[in-house]
């Protein structure tokens, strides 16, 4: 019998209020049934996903020059983001995703949903058949003193990042996740952010095209259409087009933004004059006052400037349904 290629798993068992562990067991059931060798590695604290990915890359690549790491990530958007930031050579990694988080924006974009056993079987099929991975763009943000971070879904400065900051610090987040109402926290903190945040003058260079505004509320640099558990900031974004989709909101009275929220939630905000959209491969922004910055829902701090770049086709994905791409 031909030996099957081994698979490494990075899993967050505590995701989706503890359901991650149940989903993990269903995936192992498929691997055991198919007699696929695997190693499982659990994240227990913040940063573990990146560290585990780095360790797996190191141990896999040093054994042979042509060795490929077959990696399954079982977790939410945060676990996926950490894992991506730990990969040291994307050309030698084939990654499958079984999302178990509360937001699941990445899985929604790639139409990765359904029975975890079916998803696991799909990943195994692609590995066994040597199917060409689907190449997905990644975003990269550079900020602070030489800091940088990759992202799968979105990065942004202003209101959406402040909402992320407030959500991370809210004691209600875990409670709502247990009740399978995790998306509600983003709506609540977004409303709070709208009425507490301060705007800032901003200048921007997008692929050499300069622009400015006097009262920036937020700018989202989207790789996928939606963030925050399904809020479609950029309904036309495409994670395979080699561009970031910018959504800029400026100069809106705070009382009026409250009435715009339902339109944003329904992805009917594109015709509002205060919303501006643009696609670009590289963007640099400068603010007069520091504003919150996030990547894939993780608050990174408050900064006056940041640079955002699209990395075309960086991530090699397996296990996507044939009819989806």
């Amino acid at each position: 019998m031909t030996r099957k290629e081994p698979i490494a798993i990075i899993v967050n068992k505590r995701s989706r209020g503890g359901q991650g562990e149940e989903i993990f067991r269903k995936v192992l059931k498929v691997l055991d049934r198919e007699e696929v060798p695997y190693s499982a590695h659990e994240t227990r604290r913040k940063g573990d996903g990146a560290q585990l990915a780095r360790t797996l890359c190191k141990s896999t690549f040093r054994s042979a020059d042509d060795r490929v790491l077959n990696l399954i990530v079982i977790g939410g958007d945060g676990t996926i983001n950490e894992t991506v930031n730990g990969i040291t050579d994307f050309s030698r990694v084939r990654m499958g995703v079984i999302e178990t988080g509360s937001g699941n924006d990445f899985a929604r974009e790639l139409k990765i949903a359904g029975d975890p056993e079916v998803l696991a079987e799909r990943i195994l099929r692609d590995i066994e058949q040597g199917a060409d991975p689907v190449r997905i763009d990644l975003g990269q943000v550079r900020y602070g003193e030489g800091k940088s971070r990759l992202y799968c879904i979105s990065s942004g400065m202003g209101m959406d990042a402040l909402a992320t900051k407030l959500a991370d610090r809210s004691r209600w987040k875990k409670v709502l996740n247990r009740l399978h109402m995790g998306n509600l926290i983003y709506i609540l903190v977004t409303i709070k952010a709208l009425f507490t945040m301060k705007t800032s003058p901003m200048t921007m260079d997008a692929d050499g095209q300069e622009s400015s505004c006097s009262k920036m509320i937020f700018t989202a640099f989207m790789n996928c259409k939606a963030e925050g558990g399904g809020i479609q900031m950029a309904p036309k974004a495409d994670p395979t087009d080699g561009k970031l989709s910018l959504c800029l909101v400026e100069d809106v009275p705070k009382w009026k933004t409250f009435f715009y929220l339902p339109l944003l939630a329904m992805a009917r905000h594109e015709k509002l004059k205060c919303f501006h959209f643009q696609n670009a491969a590289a963007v640099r922004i400068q603010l007069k006052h520091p504003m919150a910055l996030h990547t894939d829902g993780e608050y990174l701090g408050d900064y006056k400037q940041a640079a955002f770049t699209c990395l075309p086709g960086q991530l090699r994905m397996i296990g996507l349904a044939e009819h989806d791409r």
Side-chain angles (χ1 to χ4, degrees), residues 69-82:
L69 173 62
N70 296 306
L71 178 63
I72 297 179
V73 181
I74 304 174
D77 291 329
T79 305
I80 295 170
N81 178 277
E82 285 194 1

Side-chain angles (χ1 to χ4, degrees), residues 4-288:
K4 298 184 177 181
E5 291 192 46
I7 290 176
I9 302 171
I10 293 178
V11 56
N12 180 358
K13 294 181 180 179
R14 297 176 305 284
S15 56
R16 200 186 292 175
Q19 288 190 36
E21 183 168 8
E22 180 182 350
I23 293 173
F24 172 60
R25 290 174 180 169
K26 291 182 178 180
V27 174
L28 294 190
K29 179 181 177 181
V30 174
L31 298 181
D32 289 336
R33 184 182 68 224
E34 298 297 326
E35 299 182 342
V36 176
Y38 63 85
S39 61
H41 311 269
E42 182 182 357
T43 64
R44 299 181 182 276
R45 60 187 65 84
K46 185 177 180 180
D48 278 359
Q51 183 58 52
L52 289 170
R54 279 192 291 269
T55 300
L56 287 169
C57 286
K58 182 178 180 180
S59 61
T60 301
F61 302 156
R62 71 184 177 189
S63 61
D65 291 339
D66 60 347
R67 183 82 180 274
V68 172
L69 173 62
N70 296 306
L71 178 63
I72 297 179
V73 181
I74 304 174
D77 291 329
T79 305
I80 295 170
N81 178 277
E82 285 194 1
T83 300
V84 165
N85 275 278
I87 293 175
T88 59
D89 186 347
F90 284 92
S91 69
R92 300 177 66 183
V93 176
R94 295 182 292 195
M95 193 173 94
V97 165
I98 300 176
E99 268 205 86
T100 62
S102 56
N104 294 336
D105 289 306
F106 191 59
R108 186 180 298 105
E109 179 71 37
L110 300 181
K111 299 181 176 64
I112 306 171
D115 188 328
E117 293 185 39
V118 174
L119 297 177
E121 290 170 353
R122 192 181 295 164
I123 292 170
L124 292 183
R125 176 205 64 197
D126 281 1
I127 293 174
E128 292 174 1
Q129 295 180 356
D132 290 333
V134 177
R135 293 184 175 273
I136 302 297
D137 301 340
L138 291 178
Q140 181 180 50
V141 57
R142 298 184 184 276
Y143 60 100
E145 298 296 325
K147 297 179 181 180
S148 69
R149 191 162 184 87
L150 302 176
Y151 62 91
C152 300
I153 302 164
S154 68
S155 184
M157 299 188 78
M159 184 200 72
D160 63 332
L162 178 58
T164 293
K165 177 181 179 181
L166 295 174
D168 286 345
R169 298 181 178 182
S170 173
R171 62 187 178 89
W172 289 102
K173 185 174 182 178
K174 291 183 179 180
V175 175
L176 291 172
N177 281 342
R178 293 194 196 101
L179 297 173
H180 310 300
M181 299 171 63
N183 290 354
L184 181 59
I185 188 63
Y186 295 104
I187 297 174
L188 296 176
V189 296
T190 296
I191 294 173
K192 182 177 180 179
L194 281 172
F195 289 96
T196 58
M197 69 169 293
K198 295 181 180 180
T199 61
S200 174
M202 183 269 287
T203 58
M204 178 171 68
D205 182 312
D207 289 346
Q209 181 180 344
E210 297 184 0
S211 61
S212 64
C213 68
S214 60
K215 295 181 179 180
M216 187 192 89
I217 296 176
F218 74 84
T219 305
F221 302 86
M222 307 294 297
N223 187 45
C224 297
K225 296 178 180 62
E227 65 177 14
I231 300 176
Q232 292 198 29
M233 290 290 189
K236 294 184 174 64
D238 182 349
T240 63
D241 66 357
K243 297 287 185 69
L244 299 176
S245 292
L246 283 61
C247 176
L248 165 67
V249 182
E250 63 165 327
D251 197 20
V252 184
K254 290 185 178 181
W255 66 267
K256 188 177 290 187
T257 57
F258 184 79
F259 295 99
Y260 286 166
L261 274 179
L263 296 177
L264 178 59
M266 295 185 292
R268 296 175 58 185
H269 57 292
E270 290 182 282
K271 294 183 179 180
L272 297 176
K273 292 182 179 180
C274 57
F275 281 81
H276 306 283
F277 300 90
Q278 182 178 355
N279 289 343
V283 186
R284 187 178 296 272
I285 67 173
Q286 177 72 50
L287 304 172
K288 184 175 181 180

